[in-house]
Amino acid sequence: MNTLKLLIVDDDPITRMDIKEMLIQAGYEVVGEGRNGEEAVDLAYRFKPDIVIMDIKMPKMDGIKAARIIRNFSFCAVILLTAYSQRELVNDAKEAGVIGYLVKPVSEEGLIPAIEIAKSQQEQFHLLERDIRLLKKSIEERKIVEKAKGKLMKRFSCSEEEAYEWMRKKSMEHRISMFKLAEKILEKYESSMASK
């Protein structure tokens, strides 16, 4: 069973019904259905789907504009449906952050692979996002270690290597990370400065 949550948005109820049937048969969960771009935005905000399957040409707000808005608050993948395949629509869709593009009439042979590719793209995006977050954390922690090392060098008139070696030794003795040790050094330094 697939645990992906999908949202279907199309102004044609027959198209919505056909797509919903295909998705349910394939084991996906359809969390909502909408008739236009405004409803797409509201439903995406409310249900937080993994993938939005949405028509381009709809009343009130088209699918490309809705995709742009949705991508501002959600990391869900957007697959656009259209009866048209004009080049400018494809370019607009890419600029709006759309992952997939299906030409109507939609068949199960086209829909399911598009969803699986969108799912894969989304997973890669989340992994990349996690790696960036970890990298930022690592850089921030490294800055704190460097700052603490600088305070030790100044206080004990020692070299960078000696300060680092002292921190490494203390880190192992107290079984705490270099980052935690650096935080303690800086706290001690700041409190001693405040008491002067």
Side-chain angles (χ1 to χ4, degrees):
M1 256 318 249
N2 297 293
T3 54
L4 281 182
K5 297 186 295 183
L6 288 98
L7 174 64
I8 306 164
V9 187
D10 196 301
D11 57 332
D12 178 25
I14 306 290
T15 302
R16 285 200 312 270
M17 188 180 70
D18 288 346
I19 292 171
K20 184 177 181 178
E21 208 170 278
M22 285 185 245
L23 294 173
I24 290 169
Q25 280 180 355
Y28 298 106
E29 181 188 355
V30 177
V31 293
E33 293 179 56
R35 296 166 296 182
N36 58 58
E38 286 178 1
E39 288 183 12
V41 172
D42 290 341
L43 292 167
Y45 190 78
R46 191 176 344 146
F47 293 114
K48 296 171 182 38
D50 298 300
I51 298 174
V52 177
I53 300 167
M54 180 164 46
D55 192 14
I56 289 183
K57 300 280 186 188
M58 293 184 292
K60 294 189 181 180
M61 184 190 294
D62 68 44
I64 292 174
K65 187 172 181 188
R68 270 197 192 97
I69 295 168
I70 290 167
R71 297 290 291 138
N72 281 331
F73 65 80
S74 170
F75 292 122
C76 71
V78 178
I79 298 172
L80 286 180
L81 306 172
T82 184
Y84 317 92
S85 56
Q86 293 110 317
R87 194 82 203 138
E88 68 271 7
L89 287 180
V90 175
N91 290 333
D92 288 348
K94 282 196 297 188
E95 285 172 21
V98 170
I99 280 180
Y101 192 90
L102 287 170
V103 178
K104 291 178 180 179
V106 178
S107 67
E108 195 170 339
E109 295 77 32
L111 181 63
I112 305 309
I115 288 169
E116 289 303 314
I117 288 167
K119 175 185 162 190
S120 170
Q121 293 277 358
Q122 189 186 41
E123 285 167 357
Q124 292 202 353
F125 180 81
H126 286 305
L127 287 173
L128 189 60
E129 188 186 42
R130 187 206 63 197
D131 290 348
I132 290 167
R133 219 172 26 246
L134 290 173
L135 188 60
K136 279 182 181 172
K137 185 177 180 233
S138 173
I139 290 167
E140 288 307 310
E141 287 180 1
R142 188 78 205 142
K143 283 180 187 173
I144 300 290
V145 169
E146 290 298 317
K147 193 174 177 184
K149 191 169 61 173
K151 300 294 180 197
L152 291 174
M153 287 164 64
K154 191 175 175 183
R155 182 156 184 221
F156 298 112
S157 301
C158 62
S159 70
E160 185 178 351
E161 196 177 317
E162 287 168 328
Y164 181 79
E165 209 40 55
W166 183 88
M167 285 178 74
R168 198 175 66 78
K169 189 178 167 192
K170 289 293 177 188
S171 162
M172 285 165 52
E173 273 176 27
H174 297 288
R175 293 187 174 151
I176 58 171
S177 68
M178 289 280 275
F179 168 65
K180 288 287 178 201
L181 177 68
E183 280 187 323
K184 287 181 184 295
I185 291 167
L186 292 173
E187 276 171 30
K188 201 170 182 181
Y189 177 82
E190 282 164 19
S191 64
S192 72
M193 290 301 285
S195 63
K196 283 184 181 178

